[in-house]
């Protein structure tokens, strides 16, 4: 689902990839992988994500220029090193941030920056 506005509930978005989307993850497993034996995670690229409950995004991969608000946000990007930013705390700073390829998060198309 690219450039979409999506609400996920009850495993509904496990194994999905979102690029440039606004995604709300409701429920404790809404954006986690559905099958524990298949290593396909929900992936977010340049997306504005709200993880409303503890665990709602626990196994999701947050990639380049994604941001997250809510009790279920992981602490870091998928690389496990860089802190995962809030979408709403300081959007100007987030949107001006430079990704690995030299483009800003506005150029990557995160909806919070558009």
């Amino acid at each position: 689902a690219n450039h979409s506005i999506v609400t996920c509930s009850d495993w509904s978005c496990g194994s999905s990839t979102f690029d440039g989307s606004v995604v709300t993850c409701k429920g404790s497993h809404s954006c986690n992988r559905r099958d524990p034996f298949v290593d396909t995670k929900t992936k977010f690229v340049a997306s504005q994500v709200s993880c409303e409950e503890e665990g709602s995004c626990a196994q999701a991969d947050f990639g380049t220029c994604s941001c997250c608000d809510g009790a279920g946000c992981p602490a870091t990007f998928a690389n496990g090193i860089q802190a995962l930013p809030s979408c709403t705390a300081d959007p100007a700073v987030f949107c001006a941030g430079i990704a690995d390829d030299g483009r800003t998060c506005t150029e990557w198309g995160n909806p919070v920056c558009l």
Side-chain angles (χ1 to χ4, degrees), residues 3-106:
H3 311 290
S4 303
I5 297 173
V6 181
T7 298
C8 305
S9 59
D10 300 327
W11 307 99
S12 61
C13 294
S15 308
S16 299
T17 297
F18 297 98
D19 190 342
S21 297
V22 178
V23 185
T24 301
C25 303
K26 295 176 178 278
S28 59
H29 296 289
S30 52
C31 292
N32 284 336
R33 59 185 176 194
R34 184 179 209 98
D35 183 342
F37 302 105
V38 179
D39 192 26
T40 51
K41 299 178 179 182
T42 307
K43 292 182 170 58
F44 300 108
V45 179
S47 291
Q48 178 182 354
V49 186
S50 174
C51 298
E52 296 192 346
E53 290 183 31
E54 196 69 43
S56 56
C57 298
Q59 296 173 14
D61 276 353
F62 286 81
T64 303
C65 286
S66 286
C67 56
C68 188
D69 291 297
C73 293
T76 64
F77 282 103
N79 64 18
I81 300 165
Q82 292 168 286
L84 184 64
S86 162
C87 299
T88 56
D90 198 342
V93 169
F94 168 73
C95 293
I98 306 293
D100 289 344
D101 68 352
R103 293 187 297 162
T104 65
C105 290
T106 300

